[in-house]
Amino acid sequence: MRVTRLFVEAPLQPGCELALPAAPATHAVRVLRLKPGDALTLFNGDGREYPARLLTAGTRDARVAIGSVATPDRESPLQVTLVQAIARGEKMDWIIQKATELGAVRLAPISTERSEVRLDPTRARKRLEHWRAVAISACEQCGRNIVPRIDPPVALAAWLEGGDADRSTTRWMLHPEGDTRLRDLPKPPTRLELAIGPEGGFSETDLTALRAQGFRELALGPRILRTETAGLAAIAALQALCGDL
């Protein structure tokens, strides 16, 4: 039987009662229609999960009793950062949702020379909040107890200047003319940054900037994949080769 999972941005402790914050309370009572006595699991991003039961199910007062704590290991040994050119419309939501399900630990939304999506500071803040909510929802669904980090959207050049990759991080950018395939990787990586271009692909300026920061060109095959497909296909393949699929 599937148990409802809810993200709660609050300290959690076995043996305690907790009033659910407004958002998870509304989701539990109005959307999922949970009743007093129903089981659910809470998590707050600390890597653990907390089995609980709903005590009250009022629209303004939803309380739970936390029974225990568990530490299931659902994080991949392959730590992938997806450096994704911001896609249009719901495509970006799809990318974030599926990258979270596939185990990405960090997502860095960037704008490039050919990007069609440009965000002013106000829209950028709103989109970041929305993307974080998408990632949390994906964690609730897939069982992850650590929510991936989502960086504020910035230009590619700014992201590269502020990059914190160390020498143990492998850096790849997808390019249809890359001379390396996944099957040719000389050594399975454990930390990886994967850069994906926009609908029109990386420009020569983008490619030069990425190469200067140690990104090498990787091809997935003879077909050119859309921006919303390329990164997810690469992560899935990498998880099969080097991770936990």
Side-chain angles (χ1 to χ4, degrees):
M1 182 180 68
R2 180 177 177 181
V3 176
T4 298
R5 287 169 43 86
L6 294 176
F7 176 80
V8 177
E9 200 164 3
L12 300 174
Q13 186 174 349
C16 292
E17 293 186 11
L18 174 74
L20 291 177
T26 298
H27 186 67
V29 175
R30 293 187 177 179
V31 178
L32 301 177
R33 300 188 181 279
L34 297 183
K35 305 296 183 184
D38 285 347
L40 66 161
T41 296
L42 307 180
F43 68 103
N44 62 4
D46 68 357
R48 298 176 287 182
E49 60 185 23
Y50 301 80
R53 289 199 173 272
L54 193 63
L55 297 176
T56 60
T59 55
R60 295 187 179 182
D61 181 25
R63 298 185 65 83
V64 298
I66 301 174
S68 60
V69 61
T71 56
D73 184 10
R74 301 193 184 110
E75 294 301 306
S76 172
L78 176 62
Q79 299 180 51
V80 178
T81 293
L82 180 62
V83 185
Q84 173 69 51
I86 301 171
R88 292 175 293 176
E90 296 181 355
K91 292 180 180 179
M92 195 66 184
D93 290 3
W94 168 268
I95 292 167
I96 290 172
Q97 180 188 72
K98 301 311 173 187
T100 299
E101 292 176 17
L102 287 168
V105 299
R106 179 183 174 193
L107 297 106
I110 57 168
S111 58
T112 67
E113 190 170 38
R114 293 176 179 167
S115 290
E116 298 181 13
V117 179
R118 305 287 178 179
L119 301 176
D120 59 39
T122 299
R123 288 184 64 204
R125 286 193 298 271
K126 290 181 179 179
R127 296 310 295 172
L128 179 59
E129 292 176 3
H130 173 74
W131 291 333
R132 285 175 173 164
V134 169
I136 287 170
S137 179
C139 286
E140 290 176 338
Q141 182 275 325
C142 75
R144 290 184 68 179
N145 292 312
I146 297 178
V147 180
R149 166 183 165 184
I150 302 183
D151 295 344
V154 295
L156 172 61
W159 187 84
L160 290 172
E161 290 176 2
D164 55 4
D166 58 33
R167 292 185 177 181
S168 66
T169 301
T170 301
R171 307 186 105 178
W172 292 104
M173 54 179 167
L174 289 193
H175 193 286
E177 298 178 6
D179 57 4
T180 301
R181 302 284 182 90
L182 291 176
R183 61 174 178 263
D184 301 325
L185 294 181
K187 179 182 178 181
T190 55
R191 292 170 56 90
L192 175 74
E193 289 179 348
L194 183 66
I196 310 298
E199 282 84 350
F202 286 124
S203 69
E204 285 303 319
T205 301
D206 298 330
L207 293 172
T208 298
L210 287 161
R211 292 181 187 121
Q213 294 298 323
F215 280 84
R216 292 176 289 170
E217 296 173 14
L218 180 71
L220 286 183
R223 293 167 296 281
I224 297 176
L225 304 181
R226 293 180 181 271
T227 186
E228 69 270 25
T229 306
L232 301 178
I235 293 174
L238 285 161
Q239 290 285 27
L241 289 171
C242 317
D244 58 1
L245 291 186

